[in-house]
Each structure stands twice: as C-alpha cells, then as structure tokens.
Amino acid sequence: MTTLILSVFFSISASADVVEVDGIYYDISETTATVTYGDNEYSGDIVIPESITYENSKYSVTSIGDWAFSYCTGLTSITIPNSVTSIGNYAFWDCYGLTSITIPNSVTSIGDYAFYDCCSLTSITIPNSVTSIGDGAFSGCLGLTSITIPNSVTSIGELAFDECSGLTSITIPNSVTSIGDYVLNLCDGIKNTIIVNDMFVYLPKTYTGHYSIPENITKIIGGAFSECSGLTSVTIPNSVTSIGSSAFAYCSSLTSVTIPNSVTSIGDWAFSECSGLTSVTIPNSVTSIGDWAFDCCDNLKNVYCYSEEVPSTNVWIFDGTYIENATLHVPASAINAYKTTKPWSGFGTIKAIEGTVGVESVKDRGIAIQSAGGFINISGLDNNEKVSFYGIDGKALGSATAINGTTSFAAQSGSIVVAKIGKENIKIAVK
C-alpha cells in the first residue's frame, strides 16, 4: 500500500509546474498559487503568505494542495492565511510532529485524510466557514482531546475521527445532514451519547444494560453501537428508517432485537458477531438487508420476518450463523417464496407466523385504542401478543408486539389503518 501511495506522489510531482519562493513550493496558474510539495521536506514553523511574487508577477495563495505537507515529520506548526479557501486531500498526512495549526475563516473545505495520523495535535478549531469535512480528515489524531464543529458544516465523511482515542468530547451541530460510516470508530474516550440532527451517532463502548434510542432519531449510522459488548437490549423507535453498516456489530451481550416497521434497510454487518443474539424480528417495511448483516450470530434460534415479499439480500447475510438449527417465521402467503430463496431456504425449519387463536372479542377483553401525533397506542393486550396493521387497501404495513400489555405503531396522520387483533379487524382513524 505504501509503495502505491509513493508512486502516485512522485508521478504527480514530476508533472506539476512547481516554483519555490522563500522555501515554500507552489503550483502557479494565471493569478493564483497552490501550496504543494517539492524537493526539500518542510520542517519547523511554517508561515504561508497571502500572496507571492514570482518573476515580477503576483499570485494570490488560495489553496493547500493534495499531499502538500505529507510525510513532513519535522513540521511543528503552520499558519494559513485568510486567502486560502481549501485544504486538499492528504495535505498533512503523517505529520506526526505537528502540534499547532490555525485554520482561517476563509477555508470552506477540509479534504480527505487531510490531517491523517497527526498524532501530536491536541486541539483544533474549525472555523464557521467550513462546510465539509472529508473522509478520514482527522483519523489517527491520537492526541486530539476536543473539537468543535461549527454550524456551517453540512457533511462529515466516513472515518472522519477514526481512532481518535484521546477524544473525550465533541459537539456536532444540527446543520450536519450527512454523516459517513464509522465517524467516531474506536473513540473509546467519548463519555456521552451524541445526537445530531435526528441522526444517532455514537454510544460509548463501555455502556452496559438497556438503551432506548430517543424517538426523534431517524438514522442509526454505521458503528453507532459497534463493540458495545455490555449492551443487553435496545429499543429502536418507529422514527428510525435505516440501520447503518456495523451499527450493532460485536454487541455480544445483545440477546434479542425488534426492528420497527419504519426501517426500510439494514446495512452490511449491522448485527455481525452478535453471539448472544437468540431472536430477531424483521418488519414488513424492510426491503433490503446488507451483506453479512447477521454474520456469526452463533446462538440465533428464531427469526421473525414479516415481509410478504422476500427482502433483497445476498446469500451470505447469515454466513457463519447456524441457521440450519434455527427457525424462520414468515407470513403464510410467502412461505413457499422463502423456502425457495437463498439464504432463507437454509433455515432448518420454516413455518408460518400464527395469529392469536381463540381469544375473546376486543371489546370483552377491555382493549383500549388511542391515536395521537401519528401514533396508534393499544393497551390491554396479552404480553408478547402481536398486532398486525394494514392500509385501507389491504396492504400490510407491519406489526408490533405488546410489552407489558401495550404497544404502539407509527402511521400517517389523517389515514385509516386496520389493526388485526386476534381474529378481529378494527379500523382506526390516525390523528
């Protein structure tokens, strides 16, 4: 891998129109200059000027180019002028002697792996002009203890703070609408759950017991609960629409999980290596399940999949899981489809989900149904009793299981939903 990186590095160097002014190398165009790499390695304290003069022509310094200071292990500090608007990819890659850097308000983007492995940086201030932070931008910055991200930032790339093991706090604003996978991977020092713009970001790996995800969360991103070995159970609200890659990977104490009917996709390795998992409930809303989603779940015994159309998957979603010893529960109308579709056909037993049989009427049982705020709330049920929900056109919407006799289901306000409780169908106006 290193050989490949270096060969690209020198190939670019050979083709660039590079000039040297006061010990700093630039790639110049008609009126602007980009800081770049040259024959001599940068070291010590570097101050980049706002402009340079070369052969009687003046050039404004507007950017720090890709690889500009990479591998400059003797570089200790750098001052960037207000004329610079972007910091390129790999700009400070492996500058492990860098202890101080000031990013001016003129900078709008920080490139991929820009500060990768700058392990001597202890703090950094990102100005409110920056709108995007690239993939792996601060990955491997082991000495970084805190960072503040301004309201101007709308996207944070994958692995942006990967392996920042010294990081104890981080504030991410509501302006962020896009967060890549594994943003805070291996950041064991984080002490608090972080919630960003209705997206769940991270839970400390030291967390133990049950955790209820707040009801405003819409997305569980990749790595959010990864390696939380003490997490025994989790409540996922009906607001969540997607579960990211490796979201619950290596949660070895997790014994069962019920995915709400709002979720449409489950990412790659989402529950991989959850060795304590014995039961999984997948709602009708899920249309796709990623690669190795339930890989190596050694103790999985029951999978309840309510989708009447077999979800889109690859054959290895249960790779390393002994599904030949497990039971798959599916709608009776789809049982043949599951029996003839891999990997579902590999389950030792495939049986139809059975409704509650022989119960008295809903009215006689004292079951109460209420609707408010787009939720249907049902009380008076038997514990673990399942309620199925359908649209007025008969289309299955999903199901919910009663916990301590109550359950809830999210539906569109103003719609009519049919709840099937036992053998009875009840129309409910969703408020």
Side-chain angles (χ1 to χ4, degrees):
M1 183 66 178
T2 302
T3 303
L4 176 61
I5 291 172
L6 290 175
S7 65
V8 173
F9 183 93
F10 288 116
S11 173
I12 295 171
S13 178
S15 62
D17 183 16
V18 176
V19 301
E20 181 183 358
V21 178
D22 297 329
I24 300 177
Y25 297 91
Y26 302 91
D27 184 11
I28 58 174
S29 62
E30 292 183 359
T31 59
T32 62
T34 297
V35 180
T36 188
Y37 39 80
D39 296 330
N40 297 319
E41 185 178 291
Y42 297 108
S43 63
D45 302 333
I46 297 291
V47 178
I48 300 172
E50 289 193 0
S51 64
I52 61 169
T53 300
Y54 181 75
E55 294 184 349
N56 297 320
S57 295
K58 189 173 183 179
Y59 302 88
S60 176
V61 179
T62 58
S63 61
I64 297 174
D66 296 349
W67 303 97
F69 295 91
S70 57
Y71 302 105
C72 293
T73 57
L75 186 67
T76 54
S77 71
I78 189 161
T79 301
I80 302 172
N82 280 314
S83 56
V84 170
T85 59
S86 64
I87 298 174
N89 300 330
Y90 318 102
F92 296 92
W93 174 289
D94 216 20
C95 291
Y96 53 74
L98 187 63
T99 59
S100 175
I101 188 167
T102 300
I103 301 175
N105 276 318
S106 54
V107 171
T108 59
S109 64
I110 298 173
D112 296 345
Y113 298 92
F115 295 93
Y116 175 81
D117 211 19
C118 291
C119 53
S120 295
L121 277 178
T122 56
S123 65
I124 193 164
T125 299
I126 299 174
N128 58 12
S129 55
V130 172
T131 58
S132 64
I133 298 173
D135 294 348
F138 297 94
S139 178
C141 291
L142 306 180
L144 200 61
T145 57
S146 66
I147 192 164
T148 299
I149 299 172
N151 278 315
S152 55
V153 172
T154 59
S155 67
I156 300 173
E158 295 182 0
L159 299 162
F161 300 96
D162 175 51
E163 295 190 80
C164 291
S165 56
L167 198 62
T168 57
S169 66
I170 186 169
T171 301
I172 303 176
N174 283 334
S175 58
V176 174
T177 58
S178 173
I179 301 176
D181 290 344
Y182 314 108
V183 170
L184 291 162
N185 188 41
L186 301 180
C187 294
D188 296 330
I190 294 286
K191 301 302 181 185
N192 298 306
T193 299
I194 301 167
I195 297 172
V196 182
N197 198 35
D198 300 342
M199 292 183 286
F200 189 87
V201 180
Y202 181 78
L203 187 71
K205 294 178 177 61
T206 55
Y207 190 93
T208 59
H210 175 80
Y211 185 78
S212 292
I213 299 172
E215 291 187 357
N216 64 318
I217 301 304
T218 61
K219 178 181 181 183
I220 301 175
I221 73 159
F225 294 88
S226 178
E227 298 185 50
C228 291
S229 58
L231 185 66
T232 57
S233 61
V234 61
T235 298
I236 303 174
N238 278 317
S239 55
V240 172
T241 59
S242 65
I243 297 174
S245 301
S246 300
F248 294 90
Y250 298 98
C251 292
S252 55
S253 296
L254 197 62
T255 58
S256 66
V257 63
T258 298
I259 299 166
N261 66 333
S262 53
V263 171
T264 60
S265 64
I266 300 171
D268 299 345
W269 297 287
F271 297 92
S272 177
E273 301 278 355
C274 289
S275 56
L277 202 60
T278 60
S279 175
V280 172
T281 299
I282 301 170
N284 182 55
S285 56
V286 172
T287 58
S288 67
I289 302 175
D291 298 349
W292 298 287
F294 297 95
D295 167 65
C296 293
C297 296
D298 301 342
N299 292 300
L300 190 61
K301 300 300 181 186
N302 289 283
V303 173
Y304 295 85
C305 188
Y306 283 83
S307 180
E308 294 181 348
E309 293 186 11
V310 180
S312 173
T313 63
N314 280 317
V315 296
W316 43 77
I317 64 166
F318 296 105
D319 193 43
T321 298
Y322 304 114
I323 59 173
E324 63 271 19
N325 299 324
T327 300
L328 175 64
H329 307 260
V330 297
S333 61
I335 194 166
N336 289 331
Y338 282 93
K339 284 183 176 181
T340 56
T341 304
K342 292 182 178 180
W344 309 96
S345 58
F347 277 83
T349 303
I350 301 177
K351 57 191 295 187
I353 297 172
E354 298 178 1
T356 305
V357 179
V359 297
E360 62 271 30
S361 72
V362 168
K363 181 178 179 180
D364 291 341
R365 293 174 60 191
I367 291 175
I369 301 173
Q370 296 178 326
S371 177
F375 279 87
I376 298 169
N377 300 301
I378 304 175
S379 60
L381 298 165
D382 293 333
N383 196 33
N384 294 322
E385 184 175 356
K386 288 184 173 64
V387 179
S388 298
F389 296 88
Y390 301 86
I392 197 67
D393 58 359
K395 183 178 180 180
L397 301 177
S399 63
T401 302
I403 299 175
N404 295 325
T406 63
T407 191
S408 63
F409 186 83
Q412 184 177 354
S413 296
S415 65
I416 302 295
V417 171
V418 177
K420 184 176 183 179
I421 305 175
K423 293 184 177 181
E424 293 191 56
N425 294 323
I426 302 168
K427 291 183 180 179
I428 302 167
V430 183
K431 298 178 181 180

